[in-house]
């Protein structure tokens, strides 16, 4: 089968069993046997569902399909064997790499314009910017998060926006999130000056733009298609949830960025691992197609897993919810190594993938992520004035019964601080107007309003927007075409993962597992729909997967594929038009009140 760009879409994790009318390479000499072909029903990531001719399989066939396939060796050169193994493991990406980068940069430029245009609007602190922008300024001024004295001040945010920072004291503030995201905000304050609203948000805008660039490259590699890669990047660029979170300076966009960096790293590791595995396997096969070591060849150091571990540690350094990506991505890496060893005919492929590859992979990801996270707290340790930095040396020393006296004071204080943060996060149950249950997140049932102002006729509304009543809003709601379409496409992705054993579908589901499913365990506490920005790239990938199905494989005549191509193009065009329609209420533009009401498609959006 072939994908949207005409490439072969043989899944490198599929069963290599003979189909009707084919010979099995395990029983036929290589001179007479055709090249082994994968089972198409389990492999095609971008073919049209209606064109898949599935035949029923017995349980014996299903079981047999999980056996490690043999490799034909007799009469073949080492280069031919390596080519055969590599074809099983890695799909080439067709087209010019230069062209793909030109497309990538064009899509990224669109994302940059949408995120930087009117970035200083509104010129006031909105929603949780009141915490994170001020804490970022405090990091620059004090080296730690200081307390802002605002008890008797009726307009503290207005004073901050005007450049009055006299409310900042040297008393430490109790913070409930680590500091990585706030340092990324602080970089913008340092660059442009803290009294500029653009400076508050430039870090988030650049981060969101870089996410679009990353997603184009990731989707291109995932689907082996520059067209689908560009489509995924464009959809992320115009999604309202991601757009708003890229234009408001709160932490979740930074969590999403580091999680996406880690995902890209494990995809690169997957490809590099398989290329090296194929090369080494070709040298270790004997004349009978058997490896001297039943666990197969060793691959060695995997640098992209180290990159993934660092990125995941930084994700946890933004918000603790990054730890769920550590678990999800780690399991994906082990699963990919197991299936890779099976595909090249290793006898003990489960044990080899889980132990020979899985243990080193764990050591490169989990301890590295943990160490990176700990290192993000170095500024806290270096500043004696940080919150609870002296807890063990003062409070604990004066107590009759000391807590963990066997710990050094610096570590004991840090541990106690984490215990209190954990208690806060698990018991945050205060009511909020825009809190939402995760069950509605995939259709954006209850989006978050970050800002709202209205002007009546008596206050000069006609001069503001040309109507008797005007509204200015920032509603963090995803593009309905993208989110509702992705909710439908998710059904297809689930089917493809289970029925076809398509690794691309599983890769998308891994993102949902790390960014979405864990929140059901915290549904009792105060949580918000804008948390979905952490896994919105995978929402876009799910929809892109569905669009690839509509486009269909290239070897099918164009006249048969044309309806699917037009349907996929229509989805993208409609998504663009809907984004243009929602642009004013994503970016705080003054509009007539009746125009704002037109955007409230669901009753819970108001």
């Amino acid at each position: 089968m072939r994908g949207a760009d005409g490439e072969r879409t043989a899944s490198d994790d599929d069963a290599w069993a003979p189909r009707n009318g084919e010979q099995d390479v395990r029983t036929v000499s290589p001179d007479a046997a055709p090249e082994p072909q994968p089972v198409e029903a389990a492999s095609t990531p971008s073919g049209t569902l209606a064109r898949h001719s599935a035949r029923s399989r017995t349980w014996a066939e299903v079981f047999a399909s999980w056996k490690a396939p043999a490799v034909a060796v007799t009469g073949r050169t080492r280069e031919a064997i390596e080519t055969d193994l590599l074809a099983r493991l890695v799909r080439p990406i067709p087209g010019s790499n230069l062209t793909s980068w030109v497309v990538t940069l064009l899509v990224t430029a669109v994302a940059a314009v949408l995120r930087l245009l009117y970035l200083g609007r509104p010129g006031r602190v909105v929603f949780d910017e009141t915490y994170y922008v001020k804490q970022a300024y405090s990091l620059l001024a004090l080296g730690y998060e200081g307390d802002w004295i605002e008890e008797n001040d009726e307009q503290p945010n207005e004073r901050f926006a005007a450049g009055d920072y006299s409310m900042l004291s040297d008393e430490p503030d109790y913070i409930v999130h680590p500091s990585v995201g706030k340092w990324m905000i602080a970089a913008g304050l340092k660059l442009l000056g803290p009294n500029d609203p653009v400076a508050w948000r430039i870090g988030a805008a650049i981060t969101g733009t870089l996410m679009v660039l990353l997603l184009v490259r990731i989707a291109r590699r995932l689907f082996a298609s520059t067209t689908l890669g560009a489509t995924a990047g464009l959809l992320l660029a115009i999604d309202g949830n991601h757009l708003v979170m890229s234009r408001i300076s709160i932490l979740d966009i930074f969590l999403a960025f580091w999680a996406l960096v880690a995902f890209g790293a494990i995809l690169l590791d997957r490809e590099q691992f398989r290329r090296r595995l194929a090369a080494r396997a070709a040298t270790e096969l004997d004349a009978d197609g058997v490896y001297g070591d039943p666990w197969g060849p060793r691959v060695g150091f995997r640098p992209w897993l180290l990159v993934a571990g660092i990125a995941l540690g930084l994700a946890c350094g933004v918000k603790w919810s990054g730890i769920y990506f550590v678990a999800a991505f780690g399991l994906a890496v082990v699963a990919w190594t197991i299936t890779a060893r099976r595909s090249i005919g290793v006898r003990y492929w489960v044990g080899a993938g889980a132990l020979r590859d899985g243990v080193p992979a764990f050591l490169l990801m989990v301890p590295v992520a943990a160490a990176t996270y700990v290192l993000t707290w170095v500024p806290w340790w270096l500043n004696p004035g940080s919150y609870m930095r002296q807890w063990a040396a003062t409070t604990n020393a004066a107590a009759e019964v000391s807590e963990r006296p066997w710990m050094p004071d610096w570590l004991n204080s840090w541990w106690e601080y984490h215990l209190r943060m954990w208690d806060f996060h698990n018991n945050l149950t205060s009511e909020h107007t825009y809190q939402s249950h995760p069950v509605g997140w995939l259709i954006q049932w209850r989006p978050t309003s970050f800002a709202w102002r209205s002007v009546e006729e008596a206050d000069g509304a006609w001069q503001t927007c040309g109507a008797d009543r005007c509204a200015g809003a920032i509603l963090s709601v995803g593009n309905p075409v993208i989110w509702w379409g992705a909710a439908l496409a998710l059904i297809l992705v689930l089917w493809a993962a289970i029925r076809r054993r398509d690794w691309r579908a599983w890769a998308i589901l891994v993102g949902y597992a790390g960014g979405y499913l864990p929140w059901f365990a915290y549904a009792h506490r105060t949580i918000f729909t804008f948390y979905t920005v952490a896994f919105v790239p995978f929402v876009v990938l799910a929809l892109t997967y569905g669009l690839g199905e509509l486009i269909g494989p290239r070897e099918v005549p164009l006249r048969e594929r044309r309806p699917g191509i037009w349907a996929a193009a229509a989805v993208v065009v409609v998504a663009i038009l809907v984004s243009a329609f929602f642009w004013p209420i994503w970016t705080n533009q003054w509009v007539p009140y009746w125009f704002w009401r037109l955007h409230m498609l669901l009753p819970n959006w108001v």
Side-chain angles (χ1 to χ4, degrees):
M1 299 297 290
R2 296 182 181 272
D5 283 355
E7 72 283 2
R8 274 190 59 185
T9 57
S11 175
D12 22 27
D13 297 337
D14 296 332
W16 287 73
R19 291 169 288 170
N20 292 339
E22 291 183 353
Q23 293 173 304
D24 191 340
V25 296
R26 287 170 286 188
T27 59
V28 182
S29 68
D31 293 333
E35 289 294 321
Q37 297 295 319
V39 179
E40 293 180 352
S43 64
T44 307
S46 56
T48 305
L49 279 177
R51 300 189 182 101
H52 280 285
S53 56
R55 65 182 181 90
S56 60
R57 299 197 296 171
T58 66
W59 283 109
E61 289 177 312
V62 173
F63 178 77
S65 71
W66 285 93
K67 294 180 180 179
V71 180
V73 173
T74 306
R76 307 181 73 188
T77 64
R78 175 180 172 276
E79 290 74 15
I81 297 170
E82 181 177 344
T83 299
D84 177 25
L85 293 174
L86 191 61
R88 300 184 179 195
L89 295 173
V90 180
R91 293 182 306 145
I93 304 176
S96 165
N97 194 44
L98 175 61
T99 300
S100 75
W101 272 108
V102 170
V103 172
T104 299
L105 294 177
L106 287 175
V107 174
T108 304
V110 172
V113 170
L114 294 177
R115 281 148 184 78
L116 296 174
L117 191 64
Y118 306 123
L119 184 59
R121 182 182 298 172
R124 66 185 189 278
V125 174
V126 298
F127 203 68
D128 282 354
E129 283 186 331
T130 188
Y131 303 116
Y132 304 126
V133 173
K134 292 177 183 176
Q135 289 171 6
Y137 176 84
S138 178
L139 288 173
L140 293 175
L142 303 174
Y144 59 90
E145 293 92 336
D147 188 25
W148 293 78
I149 309 302
E150 302 174 348
E151 288 84 355
N152 301 317
D153 196 326
E154 296 181 355
Q155 296 181 324
N157 288 338
E158 286 76 3
R159 288 178 60 188
F160 179 86
D164 181 359
Y165 312 118
S166 61
M167 298 172 289
L168 176 63
S169 71
D170 59 3
E171 290 294 320
D173 188 17
Y174 173 44
I175 61 166
V176 295
H177 294 296
S179 61
V180 170
K182 286 166 278 189
W183 280 112
M184 295 176 76
I185 297 171
L189 303 182
K190 185 68 173 179
L191 179 66
L192 301 178
N195 61 341
D196 185 354
V198 174
W200 308 342
R201 300 162 185 152
I202 190 68
I206 292 175
T207 299
T209 301
L210 290 175
M211 285 185 67
V212 173
L213 185 149
L214 284 172
L215 191 65
V216 175
R217 307 306 298 178
I218 286 170
R220 177 178 179 268
R221 189 169 299 274
L222 191 67
F223 300 116
S225 167
T226 299
T227 300
L228 293 179
T231 300
L234 180 62
L235 292 174
L236 184 64
I238 64 173
D239 176 62
N241 188 23
H242 190 267
L243 181 65
V244 169
M245 298 301 290
S246 300
R247 296 172 58 91
I248 297 296
S249 205
I250 60 179
L251 300 182
D252 299 81
I253 193 69
F254 305 111
L255 166 64
F257 171 76
W258 290 116
L260 189 61
V261 170
F263 183 69
I266 66 172
L267 284 184
L268 288 170
D269 167 75
R270 181 183 185 277
E271 179 174 322
Q272 185 182 80
F273 171 84
R274 288 168 173 244
R275 290 185 181 278
R276 290 162 61 186
L277 185 65
R280 298 189 182 188
T283 65
E284 295 187 16
L285 284 167
D286 61 23
D288 296 323
V290 178
Y291 298 98
D293 183 346
W295 284 34
R298 297 181 182 273
V299 174
F301 179 65
R302 299 163 67 178
W304 283 113
L305 290 185
L306 182 64
V307 174
I310 293 172
L312 289 168
L314 292 171
C316 295
V318 177
K319 275 190 168 185
W320 281 0
S321 50
I323 195 171
Y324 298 112
F325 286 108
V326 178
F329 292 173
L331 291 174
V333 167
V334 174
W336 291 341
T337 56
I338 290 174
T339 54
R341 289 192 176 272
R342 173 187 166 276
S343 293
I344 65 168
V346 172
R347 182 178 179 185
Y348 298 138
W349 49 279
V350 175
L355 298 177
R356 174 166 289 179
D357 301 318
V359 172
F362 172 88
L363 295 176
L364 278 173
M365 291 184 68
V366 178
V368 168
T372 301
Y373 173 78
V374 171
L375 288 174
T376 66
W377 283 85
V378 167
W380 183 86
W381 277 307
L382 293 179
N383 284 278
S386 301
Y387 186 81
M388 288 190 67
R389 176 64 182 85
Q390 305 301 325
W391 176 83
T394 55
T395 306
N396 202 24
E400 293 183 3
V401 180
S402 299
E403 293 284 344
R404 299 171 298 275
W406 48 272
M407 275 190 181
D409 286 350
W410 61 271
L411 182 59
N412 200 353
S413 298
W414 181 76
W415 188 256
E416 180 66 21
Y417 194 0
H418 276 65
L419 291 177
R420 298 191 184 187
M421 291 168 66
W422 175 260
D423 182 71
F424 172 86
H425 287 301
N426 280 277
N427 295 285
L428 180 62
T429 56
S430 57
E431 294 292 325
H432 193 284
T433 304
Y434 291 102
Q435 68 185 65
S436 61
H437 194 284
V439 74
W441 287 3
L442 297 186
I443 59 170
Q444 300 286 286
W445 180 251
R446 181 59 171 163
T448 310
S449 177
F450 284 165
W452 165 264
R453 285 188 177 182
S454 64
V455 178
E456 305 290 342
E457 182 178 8
D459 299 320
W462 188 263
Q463 288 75 26
T464 302
C465 70
D468 294 336
R469 185 181 181 185
C470 302
I474 301 178
L475 183 66
S476 182
V477 62
N479 184 309
V481 174
I482 295 174
W483 280 85
W484 298 350
L488 293 175
L490 185 59
I491 300 173
L492 167 65
V493 172
L494 286 165
W495 179 88
I498 297 170
R499 180 64 179 85
R500 297 181 189 167
R501 301 199 304 273
D502 187 346
W503 78 271
R504 299 157 194 84
W506 281 112
I508 294 169
L509 294 177
V510 162
Y512 280 87
Y516 176 50
L517 293 183
W519 287 108
F520 283 90
Y522 300 94
H524 63 280
R525 52 158 287 189
T526 309
I527 54 179
F528 303 91
T529 300
F530 70 80
Y531 292 175
T532 57
V533 73
F535 66 90
V536 68
F538 301 95
V539 171
V540 167
L541 288 175
L543 179 57
T544 305
Y545 190 104
L547 296 178
E549 290 290 343
L550 286 174
I551 292 172
R554 177 163 291 185
E555 71 268 16
V556 175
L558 179 61
R559 64 180 179 276
E560 296 183 22
R561 299 171 58 227
R562 187 174 288 116
I565 294 174
W566 281 109
V571 170
V572 175
V573 170
V574 172
I576 294 172
L577 295 176
V578 169
S579 289
F581 177 65
F582 274 85
W583 166 261
I585 68 166
W586 288 338
T587 58
N588 199 57
Q589 310 293 318
W590 285 109
V591 296
Y593 180 79
W594 62 264
F595 183 75
W596 171 82
R597 288 289 306 186
L598 286 178
H599 296 77
M600 303 299 106
L601 303 183
L602 297 178
N604 277 3
W605 287 15
V606 180

